[in-house]
Amino acid sequence: MSDTPREETLRAFDAAAADFTALGRHLWEPIGAATAAAARLRPGDRVLDACCGTGASAIPAARLVGAHGVVDAVDLSGPMVAELSRLSTDVPQVHAHTADVTKWEADAYDAVLCALGIFFFPDMTAGTDRLISLTRPGGRVVFTIWRGESMQLAGRHLGRAVAAATDTPPAKERDPHLIDRINQADSYADWLTGRGLVDVEVAVHELRLPMTPEVAWLVITGSGFRRGLAGLEPDTVDAVRWHYLDSLRADGVTELDATTLIGTGTTDPARPARTE
Ligand SMILES: C[S@@+](CC[C@H](N)C(=O)[O-])C[C@H]1O[C@@H](n2cnc3c(N)ncnc32)[C@H](O)[C@@H]1O
Protein backbone atom coordinates (compact mmCIF):
# COMPACT_ATOMS: atom_id res chain seq x y z
CA MET A 1 0.00 0.00 0.00
CA SER A 2 1.37 3.46 -0.84
CA ASP A 3 2.03 6.03 1.88
CA THR A 4 -0.60 8.62 2.81
CA PRO A 5 0.41 12.31 2.47
CA ARG A 6 0.79 12.41 6.27
CA GLU A 7 3.16 9.42 6.25
CA GLU A 8 5.16 10.99 3.41
CA THR A 9 5.52 14.22 5.40
CA LEU A 10 6.64 12.32 8.49
CA ARG A 11 9.30 10.50 6.45
CA ALA A 12 10.38 13.87 5.04
CA PHE A 13 11.46 14.89 8.57
CA ASP A 14 14.05 12.08 8.53
CA ALA A 15 15.62 13.58 5.40
CA ALA A 16 15.24 17.15 6.72
CA ALA A 17 17.05 16.64 10.06
CA ALA A 18 20.35 18.42 9.23
CA ASP A 19 18.72 21.37 7.41
CA PHE A 20 16.07 21.48 10.15
CA THR A 21 18.83 22.58 12.53
CA ALA A 22 20.10 25.18 10.03
CA LEU A 23 16.59 26.59 9.60
CA GLY A 24 16.10 26.45 13.38
CA ARG A 25 17.86 29.75 14.08
CA HIS A 26 15.36 31.56 11.84
CA LEU A 27 12.20 29.58 12.54
CA TRP A 28 12.03 26.68 15.00
CA GLU A 29 14.14 28.19 17.79
CA PRO A 30 12.21 31.46 18.37
CA ILE A 31 8.92 29.52 18.29
CA GLY A 32 10.31 26.80 20.57
CA ALA A 33 11.68 29.29 23.08
CA ALA A 34 8.31 31.07 23.24
CA THR A 35 6.56 27.70 23.67
CA ALA A 36 8.84 26.72 26.57
CA ALA A 37 8.48 30.16 28.20
CA ALA A 38 4.67 29.89 28.08
CA ALA A 39 4.80 26.78 30.28
CA ARG A 40 6.01 28.81 33.31
CA LEU A 41 8.37 25.98 34.24
CA ARG A 42 10.07 25.80 37.60
CA PRO A 43 13.36 24.22 38.64
CA GLY A 44 12.88 20.50 39.19
CA ASP A 45 9.79 20.15 36.96
CA ARG A 46 9.19 16.99 34.92
CA VAL A 47 8.26 17.89 31.36
CA LEU A 48 7.18 15.97 28.26
CA ASP A 49 8.17 17.66 24.99
CA ALA A 50 6.06 15.90 22.37
CA CYS A 51 7.15 15.96 18.69
CA CYS A 52 10.44 17.47 19.88
CA GLY A 53 12.23 17.60 16.53
CA THR A 54 15.82 18.69 17.16
CA GLY A 55 14.92 20.32 20.47
CA ALA A 56 13.70 23.86 19.72
CA SER A 57 11.46 23.80 22.80
CA ALA A 58 13.03 20.84 24.66
CA ILE A 59 16.41 22.56 25.10
CA PRO A 60 15.06 25.88 26.47
CA ALA A 61 12.66 23.87 28.66
CA ALA A 62 15.64 21.92 30.01
CA ARG A 63 17.41 25.15 30.93
CA LEU A 64 14.28 26.34 32.77
CA VAL A 65 13.84 23.13 34.82
CA GLY A 66 17.56 22.94 35.59
CA ALA A 67 19.74 20.00 36.53
CA HIS A 68 17.16 18.56 38.93
CA GLY A 69 14.38 18.56 36.37
CA VAL A 70 13.67 16.16 33.51
CA VAL A 71 12.57 16.77 29.92
CA ASP A 72 11.43 13.65 28.11
CA ALA A 73 11.76 14.70 24.46
CA VAL A 74 9.94 12.34 22.09
CA ASP A 75 9.88 12.26 18.30
CA LEU A 76 9.01 9.64 15.69
CA SER A 77 12.02 10.52 13.57
CA GLY A 78 15.29 8.78 14.55
CA PRO A 79 17.49 11.30 12.65
CA MET A 80 15.78 14.23 14.43
CA VAL A 81 16.29 12.58 17.82
CA ALA A 82 19.95 11.85 16.96
CA GLU A 83 20.42 15.54 16.10
CA LEU A 84 18.79 16.52 19.42
CA SER A 85 21.14 14.18 21.32
CA ARG A 86 24.08 15.90 19.59
CA LEU A 87 22.76 19.39 20.44
CA SER A 88 21.83 18.72 24.07
CA THR A 89 25.04 17.34 25.56
CA ASP A 90 25.26 20.31 27.97
CA VAL A 91 21.72 19.71 29.28
CA PRO A 92 21.72 16.04 30.37
CA GLN A 93 18.25 16.53 31.87
CA VAL A 94 17.00 16.14 28.28
CA HIS A 95 16.19 12.49 27.68
CA ALA A 96 15.69 12.01 23.96
CA HIS A 97 13.49 9.13 22.76
CA THR A 98 12.47 7.88 19.32
CA ALA A 99 8.80 6.90 19.71
CA ASP A 100 5.23 7.68 18.73
CA VAL A 101 4.25 10.14 21.44
CA THR A 102 0.56 9.27 21.09
CA LYS A 103 1.53 5.90 22.61
CA TRP A 104 3.87 7.33 25.29
CA GLU A 105 3.23 5.71 28.67
CA ALA A 106 4.93 7.81 31.41
CA ASP A 107 2.55 10.31 33.02
CA ALA A 108 1.95 12.86 35.80
CA TYR A 109 4.17 15.42 34.06
CA ASP A 110 4.19 18.93 35.53
CA ALA A 111 3.96 20.22 31.97
CA VAL A 112 3.44 18.84 28.48
CA LEU A 113 4.63 20.88 25.47
CA CYS A 114 4.08 20.28 21.79
CA ALA A 115 5.35 22.84 19.27
CA LEU A 116 3.99 22.41 15.74
CA GLY A 117 3.17 18.74 16.19
CA ILE A 118 -0.45 18.06 17.17
CA PHE A 119 -1.76 18.49 13.61
CA PHE A 120 0.36 15.52 12.50
CA PHE A 121 -1.50 13.09 14.75
CA PRO A 122 -3.75 10.75 12.72
CA ASP A 123 -6.58 11.91 15.00
CA MET A 124 -5.58 15.37 16.20
CA THR A 125 -8.21 15.58 18.94
CA ALA A 126 -7.60 12.09 20.35
CA GLY A 127 -3.80 12.59 20.25
CA THR A 128 -4.07 15.94 22.03
CA ASP A 129 -6.43 14.51 24.65
CA ARG A 130 -3.93 11.74 25.25
CA LEU A 131 -1.11 14.29 25.82
CA ILE A 132 -3.33 16.18 28.24
CA SER A 133 -3.97 12.92 30.13
CA LEU A 134 -0.20 12.57 30.68
CA THR A 135 -0.14 15.88 32.62
CA ARG A 136 -0.73 15.81 36.37
CA PRO A 137 -3.93 17.44 37.73
CA GLY A 138 -3.20 21.18 37.87
CA GLY A 139 -0.28 20.84 35.42
CA ARG A 140 0.35 23.06 32.39
CA VAL A 141 0.00 22.23 28.74
CA VAL A 142 1.32 24.31 25.83
CA PHE A 143 0.37 23.43 22.26
CA THR A 144 1.67 25.66 19.46
CA ILE A 145 0.15 25.66 15.97
CA TRP A 146 0.53 27.78 12.82
CA ARG A 147 -1.88 30.71 12.54
CA GLY A 148 -4.09 30.79 9.46
CA GLU A 149 -2.13 30.76 6.22
CA SER A 150 1.31 30.85 7.91
CA MET A 151 4.00 29.12 5.83
CA GLN A 152 1.58 28.17 3.07
CA LEU A 153 2.96 30.68 0.57
CA ALA A 154 6.24 28.72 0.47
CA GLY A 155 4.32 25.50 -0.22
CA ARG A 156 2.45 27.11 -3.13
CA HIS A 157 5.64 28.36 -4.77
CA LEU A 158 7.26 24.95 -4.23
CA GLY A 159 4.28 23.24 -5.87
CA ARG A 160 4.62 25.49 -8.93
CA ALA A 161 8.38 24.90 -9.06
CA VAL A 162 8.07 21.10 -8.87
CA ALA A 163 5.45 21.18 -11.64
CA ALA A 164 7.71 23.34 -13.83
CA ALA A 165 10.87 21.28 -13.17
CA THR A 166 9.19 17.92 -13.75
CA ASP A 167 6.74 19.04 -16.44
CA THR A 168 3.81 17.60 -14.48
CA PRO A 169 0.52 19.17 -13.31
CA PRO A 170 0.68 20.93 -9.91
CA ALA A 171 -0.01 18.58 -6.98
CA LYS A 172 -3.57 18.85 -5.70
CA GLU A 173 -4.30 20.80 -2.51
CA ARG A 174 -4.29 18.67 0.62
CA ASP A 175 -7.61 17.38 2.00
CA PRO A 176 -9.49 19.58 4.51
CA HIS A 177 -8.33 19.06 8.10
CA LEU A 178 -9.54 20.07 11.55
CA ILE A 179 -6.60 22.49 11.79
CA ASP A 180 -8.16 24.62 9.02
CA ARG A 181 -11.15 25.33 11.28
CA ILE A 182 -9.23 26.16 14.47
CA ASN A 183 -6.23 28.13 13.22
CA GLN A 184 -7.36 31.52 14.57
CA ALA A 185 -6.98 32.62 18.20
CA ASP A 186 -10.69 32.46 19.13
CA SER A 187 -11.48 29.14 17.47
CA TYR A 188 -8.30 27.60 18.84
CA ALA A 189 -9.12 28.78 22.40
CA ASP A 190 -12.61 27.26 22.08
CA TRP A 191 -11.16 23.95 20.90
CA LEU A 192 -8.64 23.88 23.77
CA THR A 193 -11.39 24.66 26.28
CA GLY A 194 -13.33 21.74 24.80
CA ARG A 195 -10.41 19.53 25.80
CA GLY A 196 -11.34 20.10 29.48
CA LEU A 197 -8.53 22.58 30.18
CA VAL A 198 -9.02 25.59 32.46
CA ASP A 199 -7.43 29.07 32.25
CA VAL A 200 -7.01 28.66 28.50
CA GLU A 201 -5.13 31.47 26.75
CA VAL A 202 -3.91 31.80 23.19
CA ALA A 203 -1.00 34.15 22.51
CA VAL A 204 -0.17 35.28 18.98
CA HIS A 205 3.56 34.90 18.30
CA GLU A 206 4.29 37.09 15.29
CA LEU A 207 7.21 36.01 13.13
CA ARG A 208 8.22 36.99 9.60
CA LEU A 209 11.10 35.27 7.86
CA PRO A 210 13.21 37.36 5.49
CA MET A 211 13.13 35.28 2.30
CA THR A 212 16.74 35.59 1.24
CA PRO A 213 17.56 32.83 -1.26
CA GLU A 214 19.36 30.91 1.50
CA VAL A 215 16.48 31.06 4.00
CA ALA A 216 13.82 30.54 1.34
CA TRP A 217 15.42 27.26 0.26
CA LEU A 218 16.04 26.14 3.87
CA VAL A 219 12.29 26.59 4.45
CA ILE A 220 11.85 23.76 1.94
CA THR A 221 14.77 21.48 2.78
CA GLY A 222 14.57 21.92 6.58
CA SER A 223 10.84 21.32 7.10
CA GLY A 224 8.00 18.97 6.16
CA PHE A 225 7.91 20.72 2.73
CA ARG A 226 10.87 18.51 1.91
CA ARG A 227 8.28 15.88 1.08
CA GLY A 228 7.85 17.73 -2.27
CA LEU A 229 11.44 16.77 -3.21
CA ALA A 230 11.15 13.07 -2.33
CA GLY A 231 12.28 10.78 -5.13
CA LEU A 232 13.67 13.57 -7.35
CA GLU A 233 17.17 13.25 -8.87
CA PRO A 234 19.77 15.85 -7.70
CA ASP A 235 19.62 17.67 -11.08
CA THR A 236 15.85 17.93 -10.81
CA VAL A 237 16.13 19.24 -7.25
CA ASP A 238 18.50 21.93 -8.57
CA ALA A 239 15.91 22.83 -11.20
CA VAL A 240 13.16 22.96 -8.55
CA ARG A 241 15.32 25.31 -6.48
CA TRP A 242 15.85 27.59 -9.48
CA HIS A 243 12.12 27.67 -10.39
CA TYR A 244 11.11 28.19 -6.74
CA LEU A 245 13.42 31.17 -6.21
CA ASP A 246 12.39 32.58 -9.59
CA SER A 247 8.72 32.21 -8.70
CA LEU A 248 9.23 34.01 -5.37
CA ARG A 249 11.12 36.79 -7.17
CA ALA A 250 8.45 37.11 -9.86
CA ASP A 251 5.76 37.55 -7.20
CA GLY A 252 7.89 40.01 -5.20
CA VAL A 253 7.94 37.77 -2.11
CA THR A 254 10.50 39.11 0.33
CA GLU A 255 9.19 37.63 3.56
CA LEU A 256 7.18 34.67 4.81
CA ASP A 257 4.54 34.81 7.50
CA ALA A 258 5.52 32.25 10.17
CA THR A 259 3.18 33.44 12.90
CA THR A 260 2.04 30.87 15.44
CA LEU A 261 -0.65 30.56 18.09
CA ILE A 262 0.68 29.45 21.45
CA GLY A 263 -2.19 27.83 23.32
CA THR A 264 -1.81 27.29 27.05
CA GLY A 265 -4.05 25.76 29.67
CA THR A 266 -4.08 24.04 33.02
CA THR A 267 -5.46 20.58 33.60
CA ASP A 268 -8.36 20.57 36.03
CA PRO A 269 -6.81 20.38 39.52
CA ALA A 270 -9.80 18.26 40.65
CA ARG A 271 -9.34 15.74 37.82
CA PRO A 272 -8.46 12.26 39.11
CA ALA A 273 -4.95 11.10 38.14
CA ARG A 274 -4.74 8.78 35.09
CA THR A 275 -5.39 5.13 35.98
CA GLU A 276 -5.17 3.27 32.64
C1 LIG B 1 7.27 20.70 12.40
S1 LIG B 1 8.22 19.56 13.31
C2 LIG B 1 8.36 20.42 14.87
C3 LIG B 1 9.52 19.95 15.71
C4 LIG B 1 9.79 20.75 16.99
N1 LIG B 1 8.70 20.65 17.94
C5 LIG B 1 10.06 22.19 16.66
O1 LIG B 1 9.17 23.03 16.91
O2 LIG B 1 11.13 22.50 16.12
C6 LIG B 1 7.07 18.25 13.68
C7 LIG B 1 7.70 17.03 14.33
O3 LIG B 1 6.65 16.18 14.80
C8 LIG B 1 7.12 14.85 14.74
N2 LIG B 1 5.95 13.95 14.92
C9 LIG B 1 4.82 13.93 14.20
N3 LIG B 1 3.97 12.98 14.67
C10 LIG B 1 4.57 12.43 15.76
C11 LIG B 1 4.19 11.42 16.69
N4 LIG B 1 3.02 10.77 16.61
N5 LIG B 1 5.04 11.10 17.70
C12 LIG B 1 6.24 11.74 17.80
N6 LIG B 1 6.65 12.71 16.93
C13 LIG B 1 5.83 13.05 15.93
C14 LIG B 1 7.82 14.81 13.39
O4 LIG B 1 8.69 13.71 13.27
C15 LIG B 1 8.54 16.16 13.40
O5 LIG B 1 9.84 16.06 13.94
Side-chain angles (χ1 to χ4, degrees):
M1 215 169 61
S2 64
D3 284 344
T4 63
R6 175 183 164 272
E7 287 163 342
E8 284 173 13
T9 302
L10 293 177
R11 270 194 295 111
F13 284 113
D14 289 349
D19 284 348
F20 198 92
T21 306
L23 178 61
R25 185 162 58 89
H26 307 280
L27 182 65
W28 313 118
E29 287 175 19
I31 297 169
T35 299
R40 293 193 222 126
L41 298 172
R42 287 183 298 212
D45 276 354
R46 280 181 68 242
V47 177
L48 173 64
D49 189 284
C51 306
C52 61
T54 60
S57 49
I59 291 174
R63 298 200 198 290
L64 292 167
V65 302
H68 298 293
V70 168
V71 178
D72 279 326
V74 180
D75 200 284
L76 267 181
S77 164
M80 295 284 242
V81 171
E83 188 71 4
L84 168 59
S85 299
R86 189 180 71 77
L87 295 172
S88 60
T89 48
D90 65 329
V91 272
Q93 59 272 37
V94 172
H95 301 183
H97 312 266
T98 305
D100 180 347
V101 78
T102 63
K103 303 198 169 92
W104 190 247
E105 280 298 332
D107 67 357
Y109 287 100
D110 297 299
V112 172
L113 319 180
C114 186
L116 305 170
I118 57 174
F119 39 81
F120 288 113
F121 298 153
D123 180 334
M124 177 171 154
T125 303
T128 303
D129 286 347
R130 164 115 187 134
L131 293 186
I132 292 169
S133 77
L134 304 182
T135 317
R136 68 167 167 77
R140 297 270 293 166
V141 299
V142 185
F143 300 131
T144 299
I145 62 171
W146 299 115
R147 182 185 67 180
E149 289 267 297
S150 280
M151 303 296 285
Q152 293 185 19
L153 190 64
R156 276 200 284 278
H157 285 272
L158 175 67
R160 279 187 216 165
V162 171
T166 58
D167 203 14
T168 52
K172 72 172 178 63
E173 299 264 310
R174 67 164 172 73
D175 291 335
H177 187 283
L178 168 63
I179 195 69
D180 305 322
R181 287 184 274 123
I182 61 164
N183 62 19
Q184 297 297 328
D186 288 354
S187 49
Y188 187 39
D190 288 347
W191 183 77
L192 289 172
T193 303
R195 313 270 57 76
L197 297 169
V198 294
D199 300 330
V200 167
E201 285 176 28
V202 172
V204 177
H205 183 257
E206 300 277 353
L207 183 63
R208 295 190 170 272
L209 293 191
M211 289 289 265
T212 61
E214 185 215 359
V215 172
W217 189 236
L218 275 177
V219 164
I220 304 304
T221 59
S223 78
F225 286 134
R226 195 171 180 123
R227 173 186 155 214
L229 307 178
L232 301 182
E233 295 296 328
D235 283 356
T236 314
V237 171
D238 283 346
V240 171
R241 179 176 184 280
W242 187 89
H243 282 288
Y244 167 75
L245 295 177
D246 190 55
S247 173
L248 291 172
R249 226 178 355 251
D251 277 12
V253 177
T254 55
E255 58 177 28
L256 181 67
D257 182 14
T259 298
T260 48
L261 301 176
I262 301 181
T264 54
T266 302
T267 54
D268 183 350
R271 186 194 69 174
R274 185 165 163 264
T275 50
E276 98 195 46

